[in-house]
Amino acid sequence: MMTLGVRDENLAAGGPERHVPVLLDEVLEWLDPQPDEVMVDGTFGAGGYSRAILERGAKVVGIDRDPDAIAGGQTLVQEAEGRLILVAGQFAGLEDHARQSGFDGVDGVVLDLGVSSMQLDEAERGFSFMKDGPLDMRMEQSGPSAADVVNEMPVKDLIRIIGLLGEEKRATTVAHAIGNARKEKPFSRTLELARLIEKVLGRSPKKAQIHPATRTFQALRIYVNGELHQAAEALGAAERILKPGGRLVLVSFHSLEDRIVKRFFQDRTRTRGGGSRHMPEQEVPPATFELLTRKAVEAAADETGVNPRARSAKLRAGRRTEAPARELDIHAAGVPRLADYHGLGAEGGSYAEHIVHSGSRYWRCNRLRHEAGGNKIGGESCRSSASDR
């Protein structure tokens, strides 16, 4: 191992440590970076994973869509002396980013899905209602904001966004309250929206520690940043760029992301197609991954005690086989279809390519689905053929 620069408890990627990498030891265990191997850190953030990988002697292509993360990582780029290439971009395009960085194949990919604590901690980014700030939530700091979505989208579309992406049972109540309030004054601040939601939903004595606006804010953030599309497309990109034997490690923080990851690995590691005495066994293409984690890996008590963010973290990992990459229907993998708003949603923008080159033709659905197959939202239902057990 080698140490990069002088590192103390208050430094990370060249600046104050506002983000503690979750499940770092477990990530390194399953990613297993070796000297001179090439790893892709698709969610660079404050550089916690990248720094640890570099200290193992590997090379890193670090990707982040947040300009602040790219700027903050320049010190680590200098310390790495040519072994860290930092790319401004979305991790859904990690295959292209790796190739453009000079690597036609890589030995490992790691993704820390969701929003970073750095973004949550900065009121001016508008991700959190803990402090008042502009209702923004844009990771790339460009494009439509959460305020645009809240103020301009039809109420029926807000119901689906809040219900599907926030898993908010009272999405209809919240969406109609937003629709009525914005007639009087458009929303522009995080606390304006949070207070309205708290007013119409109230606080449950059983969930006193959970703010009523939590699920709605999650839904808006996921929609504005296309997070589920990004996650699904990144899985396909990783499958295409990983060498045989390459490791894919993903850390997710809520059920929507984890379900997509779990379904992907279930399909990619499948070697039998079921069947019964009444129906012949289905032909299954060669498995593209070997599952490394039989169930999700969670943080130990000593980590959650010092880093509360780790409490909801789940890690899953797989090793690439020699089988060719396949096609993926991202909606069948668990990404819901949502209304388009200036390039956001399932039908527009950089996410318009719904069938990407890495998934399974064995996931089928004739109705619009959402992430929890079989439930009804907005009058639509779908039964998944992929097991979520």
Side-chain angles (χ1 to χ4, degrees), residues 24-25 47 96 196 203-204 247 281 285 317-318 381:
L24 178 59
D25 291 341
D96 292 336
L196 173 73
R203 278 187 177 268
S204 170
R247 287 78 68 195
E281 188 168 304
S381 65

Side-chain angles (χ1 to χ4, degrees), residues 183-199:
K183 295 176 184 177
E184 303 296 327
K185 178 187 175 183
F187 291 93
S188 62
R189 309 291 294 183
T190 56
L191 288 187
E192 291 174 350
L193 180 59
R195 287 166 180 162
L196 173 73
I197 297 171
E198 183 176 14
K199 179 180 178 181

Side-chain angles (χ1 to χ4, degrees), residues 97-170:
H97 297 318
R99 294 188 189 280
Q100 291 167 7
S101 299
F103 305 108
D104 291 330
V106 303
D107 302 286
V109 173
V110 59
L111 299 172
D112 176 353
L113 303 175
V115 67
S116 76
S117 56
M118 295 187 306
Q119 293 164 334
L120 289 171
D121 290 343
E122 295 181 9
E124 291 305 307
R125 299 297 301 274
F127 285 97
S128 172
F129 49 79
M130 300 304 293
K131 300 177 183 177
D132 190 35
L135 191 56
D136 193 323
M137 302 193 191
R138 297 171 296 177
M139 292 182 181
E140 289 171 295
Q141 303 182 31
S142 63
S145 69
D148 295 326
V149 172
V150 165
N151 291 322
E152 298 181 15
M153 288 201 75
V155 168
K156 64 181 180 64
D157 294 331
L158 287 177
I159 292 173
R160 282 182 57 79
I161 289 170
I162 297 170
L164 291 172
L165 303 185
E167 300 179 294
E168 172 58 70
K169 295 179 180 179
R170 299 181 64 187

Side-chain angles (χ1 to χ4, degrees), residues 13 19 21 24 27-28 31 38-54 59-65 70 76 83-92 94 97-98 106-113 234 241 247-249 251:
H19 173 80
L24 178 59
V27 165
L28 292 175
L31 192 64
V38 178
M39 301 284 155
V40 173
D41 180 355
T43 46
F44 179 79
Y49 290 160
S50 287
R51 180 181 288 275
I53 294 167
L54 289 166
K59 301 173 184 176
V60 177
V61 177
I63 303 167
D64 207 292
R65 62 197 299 190
I70 298 298
L76 185 56
R83 292 190 298 113
L84 170 62
I85 299 173
L86 205 51
V87 179
Q90 300 176 349
F91 60 73
L94 65 87
H97 297 318
V106 303
D107 302 286
V109 173
V110 59
L111 299 172
D112 176 353
L113 303 175
I241 197 64
R247 287 78 68 195
L248 173 59
V249 179
V251 179

